[in-house]
Amino acid sequence: MNKSICEHCKVCKKDCQSGIWLSPQFANEKTLLFCSDDCKEKYIQNKLERIKTNYPSFYEKVKNKGAFWIKER
C-alpha cells in the first residue's frame, strides 16, 4: 500500500501534495509549504507587518529589502 504524505499550506491550512517550498529562516524550524504564490505573499507580508509593529527601528532599515531572510538562487 502506497500512501502519500499530505502536507498543509502554512497560511490557509489547505491540504496539498505539491506547492511552493521555502527553506526555514532558522535551523529549528520546519520547511514552509504554500499552496500558491498568493499564500506565500500573504505569509511574507504578515512577517513584515510583525517586524514593523514589534521592531519599528529595525523595520526602517529593512523596509526596502522585502523578504530579506529568503535567499534567492
Side-chain angles (χ1 to χ4, degrees):
M1 185 190 300
N2 186 7
K3 287 188 176 183
S4 61
I5 297 173
C6 189
E7 297 285 339
H8 303 284
C9 176
K10 181 75 175 172
V11 175
C12 68
K13 309 299 185 208
K14 262 180 27 182
D15 291 344
C16 49
Q17 300 202 6
S18 64
I20 301 164
W21 294 85
L22 290 180
S23 296
Q25 182 179 3
F26 302 105
N28 62 347
E29 287 181 327
K30 294 181 180 180
T31 302
L32 305 172
L33 173 65
F34 303 98
C35 64
S36 66
D37 280 327
D38 290 337
C39 283
K40 182 184 100 173
E41 292 303 318
K42 283 180 190 176
Y43 177 79
I44 291 171
Q45 289 307 313
N46 288 342
K47 288 279 256 187
L48 289 173
E49 278 300 314
R50 206 170 298 135
I51 291 170
K52 183 178 182 178
T53 302
N54 295 323
Y55 308 100
S57 60
F58 180 68
Y59 178 77
E60 288 301 316
K61 293 178 185 177
V62 299
K63 68 181 176 184
N64 295 326
K65 294 182 182 180
F68 57 89
W69 62 90
I70 297 175
K71 294 178 182 156
E72 297 192 20
R73 294 179 181 227

